[in-house]
Amino acid sequence: MIYIWTCAALAGIAAALIAIRSFRPAPLPAPAPWTGPLPEASPPADMTIYRLPTGTYENRAFLAYRGGAFSDLRKFAATAVLVRHPAGDLLIDAGFGANVEAHIAALPSYRRTPHELGDTVRDQLRAKNYDMARLKGVVITHAHWDHVSGLEELDVPIWMNQAEGRYVERAKDAAVFRDVASRRDIHHYMFDGPPYLGFPSSHDVYRDGSVVIVEAGGHTDGSVVVFVNPPDGRRFAFIGDLTWQTEGVTLRAERPKMLQLLADVRPAQVRDGLLRIIALADRIHVLPAHDVRAYDPIPEWTSSSNIGG
Ligand SMILES: [Zn+2]
């Protein structure tokens, strides 16, 4: 009997040591930087992008990326991005909606953290007399609660691919999506375009290279990266949750193993996507969805001089 207890205790200690080690820094090997040309883009001169922050929730850096400090309390952004394009506007993700408290209450207790709520996307658009008829839909980077809560108030189609369509049918982490999307049309787009910046296939939304969605997968079945190329020549990559904070790219720091197991359907595929993004990071501004700092170069919708339209 004592032998069994000793074995159980040793196994427990070994598991704890392995868990602790998985939070230590372990940078991914640096990929070769992308040296080829960036894909052609001919965005219309009046295309613009704005950020619509809807709130934040707290997480510690040590849970966000390997090597992050326990004492480093981060505010995770829940921010939507509005792409204004003469052929019709798009949102990328929807942020927190009016019922986000209920969405948070439905999470397992260990995932509920202190949060701050701002105005919803709908309220921010209304405040500037935005013409909702201009909005073609909401492209979701993936179907987790903190990206889709605000879909509830946005009566426009949800743009998603077939792999994400399969994910939302079965995944526990898509419960909020199933709730808020039940009264929405789904626009299923296909990855009908060529490889794009190292990703295997793409979908060029406006056929002008200004907004190109690529298949990343791994975080959810159909998680995506959205490349946005406005007419001022800047290039942006909205990478969803390939990493939760910019250090995932700058330090090549993955999520700690335990968080990978909780958050990602296929961690190895997330790693592949992250390495592709790291290879581009000198040439393209990378926006992890939850890094408040990464949105700085994008003007805020409510403080812009742009009125409705
Ligand atoms: Zn997220």
Side-chain angles (χ1 to χ4, degrees):
M1 194 53 129
I2 288 172
Y3 173 76
I4 292 170
W5 285 345
T6 308
C7 286
L10 286 174
I13 291 166
L17 284 175
I18 290 168
I20 290 165
R21 281 174 63 87
S22 89
F23 289 92
R24 290 200 182 138
L28 295 171
W34 182 270
T35 52
L38 296 178
E40 286 280 318
S42 336
D46 50 353
M47 173 191 170
T48 48
I49 60 173
Y50 298 95
R51 66 183 143 109
L52 290 77
T54 66
T56 58
Y57 60 100
E58 286 181 3
N59 261 321
R60 292 186 182 274
F62 97 111
L63 294 173
Y65 63 91
R66 293 189 66 142
F70 180 83
S71 58
D72 185 353
L73 196 57
R74 300 277 171 104
K75 288 185 191 300
F76 270 34
T79 295
V81 169
L82 177 67
V83 177
R84 305 204 73 189
H85 190 290
D89 300 346
L90 277 180
L91 284 163
I92 301 171
D93 287 340
F96 290 163
N99 289 321
V100 68
E101 291 287 8
H103 299 154
I104 291 172
L107 296 171
S109 58
Y110 70 91
R111 287 175 54 192
R112 283 177 234 142
T113 64
H115 45 277
E116 291 171 12
L117 306 185
D119 292 334
T120 64
V121 167
R122 183 199 49 189
D123 288 351
Q124 293 183 48
L125 293 176
R126 275 190 182 164
K128 300 202 79 174
N129 297 317
Y130 177 79
D131 175 7
M132 288 298 286
R134 290 207 53 77
L135 194 58
K136 285 160 76 84
V138 183
V139 176
I140 56 170
T141 59
H142 62 287
H144 286 163
W145 72 276
D146 44 344
H147 302 255
V148 304
S149 164
L151 291 176
E152 203 161 17
E153 292 85 46
L154 294 165
D155 191 7
V156 293
I158 300 165
W159 284 42
M160 59 197 289
N161 57 71
Q162 287 174 326
E164 198 66 353
R166 289 192 294 276
Y167 177 80
V168 301
E169 281 173 19
R170 64 168 168 78
K172 224 174 356 168
D173 286 344
V176 168
F177 178 89
R178 286 191 290 273
D179 180 25
V180 298
S182 58
R183 291 172 300 281
R184 294 287 168 263
D185 291 335
I186 306 289
H187 170 75
H188 283 289
Y189 61 84
M190 310 276 284
F191 292 108
D192 48 5
Y196 191 95
L197 291 171
F199 290 88
S201 59
S202 60
H203 178 66
D204 183 346
V205 171
Y206 298 102
R207 307 265 167 222
D208 59 8
S210 63
V211 177
V212 178
I213 309 171
V214 302
E215 189 174 16
H219 183 53
T220 60
D221 290 323
S223 44
V224 300
V225 172
V226 185
F227 290 95
V228 177
N229 307 315
D232 58 15
R234 291 183 300 166
R235 301 236 173 190
F236 297 99
F238 295 91
I239 67 168
D241 288 6
L242 272 182
T243 174
W244 283 320
Q245 296 284 283
T246 295
E247 286 85 348
V249 176
T250 55
L251 304 179
R252 304 192 306 277
E254 292 182 284
R255 275 188 260 292
K257 176 110 16 230
M258 279 172 55
L259 277 295
Q260 289 180 324
L261 295 174
L262 286 170
D264 299 326
V265 294
R266 281 180 297 281
Q269 198 178 356
V270 173
R271 177 180 302 167
D272 289 346
L274 183 58
L275 287 169
R276 289 181 181 129
I277 290 297
I278 291 168
L280 298 168
D282 287 344
R283 318 226 351 234
I284 293 181
H285 182 78
V286 177
L287 287 101
H290 298 307
D291 194 314
V292 284
R293 303 161 298 181
Y295 291 91
D296 282 348
I298 299 178
E300 193 165 334
W301 168 253
T302 48
S303 50
S304 69
S305 56
N306 201 0
I307 309 284

